[in-house]
Amino acid sequence: MRLFRPRLPAAARAALGIEPGERVLALTTAADGAYLVATDRALHLPGGTRLPWHRVEHARWDETDLVVTGTDGTSHRVAVPEPGLLPETIKERVTASLVASRYVTLGNRGGVRLVARRVVGGDGPDAGLEWNLVFDEGLDPDDPGLRALAEQALEEVRRSLGV
């Protein structure tokens, strides 16, 4: 059995900013003919938007569009008439980036989900990990008291996981 990797034209590779050594896993074209590419490191959207897998919070498909939400809350919508293997590849890559996800109640105010994601090529004290705090709807993540409770919960979870 012969396996093959999808071929991406060199001009498209350059326009999308795909880095040397980055492997193309799946690709398709948007309704306007622009490429969408999933690599081992990131999701590349038309217009040069690069979303490393640890920065993809959620991706969903509706009838004709891919909608991707980043961990920073930004949303991207791309019309994709024939998604090919892209949906499965996105799901696998995002799932593979998740290391831990814990929900912690913050008193009677609600709670926060603490999410650790694997960063390809990460360095520093949390080499290879990035933590996101996802507060319940209606909670203000900028509230100093609430933030302090969440940071304390994060430290306890990190200690319990040994990271």
Side-chain angles (χ1 to χ4, degrees), residues 43-60:
L43 176 62
H44 296 267
L45 301 173
T49 300
R50 180 181 194 275
L51 294 171
W53 294 116
H54 68 280
R55 297 282 169 87
V56 176
E57 178 68 31
H58 185 269
R60 68 177 171 81

Side-chain angles (χ1 to χ4, degrees), residues 10 13 16-17 21 30 34 39 64 72 74 77 92 115 129 143 150 161:
R13 181 179 272 280
L16 290 169
T39 70
T64 60
D72 62 357
T74 59
R77 179 180 288 270
E92 186 275 327
V115 182
L129 287 184
D143 175 318
L161 295 175

Side-chain angles (χ1 to χ4, degrees), residues 100 114-117 126 129-133 154 157-158 161 163:
L114 308 170
V115 182
R117 294 178 183 268
D126 275 338
L129 287 184
E130 178 174 292
W131 287 89
N132 300 107
L133 282 64
L154 175 60
V157 168
R158 289 175 64 173
L161 295 175
V163 294

Side-chain angles (χ1 to χ4, degrees), residues 45-147:
L45 301 173
T49 300
R50 180 181 194 275
L51 294 171
W53 294 116
H54 68 280
R55 297 282 169 87
V56 176
E57 178 68 31
H58 185 269
R60 68 177 171 81
W61 297 86
D62 61 21
E63 291 181 23
T64 60
D65 294 354
L66 164 65
V67 181
V68 180
T69 304
T71 56
D72 62 357
T74 59
S75 184
H76 307 272
R77 179 180 288 270
V78 182
V80 182
E82 294 183 32
L85 294 174
L86 209 56
E88 294 88 349
T89 305
I90 291 172
K91 181 177 181 177
E92 186 275 327
R93 293 277 98 192
V94 171
T95 301
S97 76
L98 292 172
V99 175
S101 178
R102 299 276 170 88
Y103 183 81
V104 178
T105 303
L106 303 174
N108 61 358
R109 303 169 118 183
V112 63
R113 180 159 300 281
L114 308 170
V115 182
R117 294 178 183 268
R118 186 173 292 106
V119 178
V120 176
D123 56 12
D126 275 338
L129 287 184
E130 178 174 292
W131 287 89
N132 300 107
L133 282 64
V134 183
F135 289 88
D136 284 350
E137 192 161 332
L139 296 182
D140 179 8
D142 295 323
D143 175 318
L146 192 60
R147 193 77 188 180

